[in-house]
Amino acid sequence: MPEAKSANLCWGQHHHLLRYLRVPAPSRHEAHIGTSYPLPAGCTVAAVRTALTHLVRRHEVLRTVYDLTGTAADGRAWPRQIVQPPAPQPVTEATTEDAVDVIARLTRTPFDLAREWPLRACVVTTGGRLVRLHLVFNHLAFDDVALDRLAAELDELLAARTEGRPAVLDPVDHQPVDLARFEESRTEADLEPALGHWRDIVEKLPADVFSARRRTSEAAHSASFTVPSLLSAARAIAAREHVWPSAVHLAAYAVTLAAYTGETLVAHRMYTSQRDASGFGGAVTCLSYPTPVLADLDGDPLFSAVVKASATRVSQAMTHAHVPYDRVYELMAEEGVRVVAELNFLDNAPRSCRTKRDRYAVNAAPDDWARAGSDSYLRVYEWADGITLALQALDAVMDAEAVERFLRGYARLVEAHRDPGTDLRVSEAAMLIGFTPPKPPRIRAEPEPTGTAPAERVLTEVVAEVNGLGEVDPGRSYTGAGGRVLRLPRVVEALHERGWSAGLVPFTTARPLSALAHELVPARG
């Protein structure tokens, strides 16, 4: 298919691309976004096809593919987005009898980034009558704001069709390529204020907040705790402290994490939108990524002080959000810090949490998520009538009992501060939450690799060639030696061309290239 136009990836897409690539193909569906879409009465399959094709013409992101080893302006490999000409959106048809299997296949099959558009659609019929529309999105191309806009436009297009009137849609001011070209025009001087902020944060991050709890284990756990009263409690605290409720949850998370880890300097990553900071707020693409958050709880501060400091961190993160994610990632890699506890806020209003009493649920083991490179992931879902705290954690840092204690302790902490007369210090909050302080970690020395000379020579040559570097020190990590994480697909490809097989994940750690060379294996075929 001929190319319409192209550009580098947008900065907000970097995280999701790296996440998608580092996960084994059978588990990549964990990052897909699936939804059963409500349809207006009288809607037909033809109307759905027409509406989706209209959206494909209107929004370039829906007809974009990705070249992961393409050539950037400097002549080096760099992932690019390629916009293809408009065409009808592919739509799969299923009956109610086979819909479960068809939708499961569409949901679980990895997207072919180089050839496949980032939306899959399935219409479900009974006796030829349309009953349901199921959509599957690639997270690389969409965030919640982009999905909300698409859903609103699809609503309008289908309603107009069934009511026999013209559709009324807002103009599309910016396409993702417009944003990417603007980002490409930014100079180092333009970026320095924001990058300087993140550099200061990264320099203060602890090496591993879970160091005292970390152990060897392959399992993972998932649970959720829905607490209707937590919504009003968080809002009451926020109103009293003159902050957004997100700052209350950020503070509660930091204090609970400190209680569990025994640390006073805790760090995690918070999903942050780039929309306001970029000036391209209406662009339909992915404009969010996890930024590092540092909470310094030294001195045993009051919870109210932690809330105020959390509000400041949220404001600073939003102000400095519009930077390339790979640059922030590389800053952390160069410092050798492991910050892979993640927090995300998700607005589910005006929908109901469907319960009037607290409900704790143990969910299926998140085996696919466990391969994505995170230690833990807390989602805070805000409904119209409650809050759900959903936590996934590797057993290596948190067993099933600890997951339950974490969620219940977090909720107890927020509920306790509904009372204006309550303002616990961090040490008092830890007692309320109820964790036993962890034992100091045992330091394990990594064995020296042996027999790596041929592989090490090839590896350092490839890293130098792909990244345009001079001599590469095998004693340093990939990023420490000057390697760019978004060039890793080309590094892996070049190693394969020279007869060696490698994955992306080891290169994203602080381990030296000499150690990684020891793990290279001869490529097959």
Side-chain angles (χ1 to χ4, degrees), residues 11-254:
W11 293 345
Q13 296 179 303
H14 294 176
H15 162 71
H16 297 282
L17 173 65
L18 290 170
R19 178 185 174 91
Y20 202 71
L21 291 177
R22 68 180 291 162
V23 175
S27 296
R28 288 177 180 167
H29 64 86
E30 191 272 333
H32 298 167
I33 305 170
T35 180
S36 285
Y37 190 81
L39 297 167
C43 189
T44 64
V45 171
V48 168
R49 289 183 178 275
T50 299
L52 290 176
T53 298
H54 181 94
L55 290 175
V56 166
R57 289 198 307 271
R58 178 174 166 83
H59 295 291
E60 292 177 356
V61 70
L62 290 169
R63 45 189 166 92
T64 294
V65 296
Y66 302 91
D67 180 1
L68 304 187
T69 58
T71 303
D74 63 359
R76 300 284 172 185
W78 199 258
R80 294 183 66 76
Q81 54 181 312
I82 300 172
V83 181
Q84 297 182 334
Q89 165 67 39
V91 177
T92 299
E93 294 195 35
T95 65
T96 49
E97 291 76 20
D98 62 5
V100 171
D101 291 338
V102 172
I103 291 173
R105 185 182 72 251
L106 293 175
T107 301
R108 297 184 68 88
T109 302
F111 280 87
D112 183 344
L113 300 181
R115 298 176 180 82
E116 185 182 1
W117 292 354
L119 167 64
R120 295 171 181 159
C122 177
V123 289
V124 181
T125 60
T126 296
R129 181 177 59 85
L130 178 63
V131 294
R132 184 155 54 107
L133 170 64
H134 193 85
L135 302 176
V136 180
F137 298 91
N138 184 348
H139 206 341
L140 171 63
F142 302 95
D143 58 15
D144 287 345
V145 175
L147 291 175
D148 286 346
R149 176 165 184 177
L150 279 182
E153 292 188 1
L154 185 55
D155 276 343
E156 171 61 14
L157 288 169
L158 293 177
R161 180 81 177 212
T162 56
E163 295 167 11
R165 60 172 176 80
V168 180
L169 301 175
D170 292 333
V172 177
D173 295 324
H174 302 292
Q175 299 286 4
V177 165
D178 301 324
L179 169 59
R181 289 175 177 169
F182 167 74
E183 291 171 339
E184 289 175 49
S185 73
R186 306 291 281 168
T187 65
E188 285 297 310
D190 295 330
L191 294 179
E192 183 50 35
L195 281 178
H197 166 79
W198 296 118
R199 193 178 298 111
D200 290 343
I201 293 291
V202 169
E203 288 175 354
K204 299 172 185 174
L205 294 175
D208 178 7
V209 71
F210 287 115
S211 60
R213 294 285 191 181
R214 194 174 297 280
R215 58 185 180 149
T216 301
S217 177
E218 298 291 329
H221 309 286
S222 177
S224 56
F225 191 31
T226 300
V227 186
S229 62
L230 208 59
L231 178 66
S232 59
R235 289 179 174 177
I237 299 166
R240 190 165 68 238
E241 303 298 341
H242 306 289
V243 300
W244 292 104
S246 58
V248 176
H249 288 290
L250 193 63
Y253 181 66

Side-chain angles (χ1 to χ4, degrees), residues 38 56 177 187 191 298 318 345 379 392 479 500 507:
V56 166
V177 165
T187 65
L191 294 179
D298 192 31
M318 296 292 288
F345 303 103
R379 294 178 175 93
Q392 297 175 164
T479 55
W500 296 92
F507 291 98

Side-chain angles (χ1 to χ4, degrees), residues 256-309:
T256 308
L257 192 60
Y260 177 67
T261 61
E263 304 289 341
T264 57
L265 192 66
V266 296
H268 59 87
R269 298 193 298 179
M270 174 183 68
Y271 279 84
T272 305
S273 174
Q274 296 184 331
R275 292 184 177 275
D276 290 343
S278 70
F280 286 72
V284 177
T285 186
C286 186
L287 268 166
S288 67
Y289 70 107
T291 57
V293 175
L294 179 69
D296 187 349
L297 305 179
D298 192 31
D300 203 17
L302 296 168
F303 185 71
S304 60
V306 181
V307 170
K308 290 183 174 68

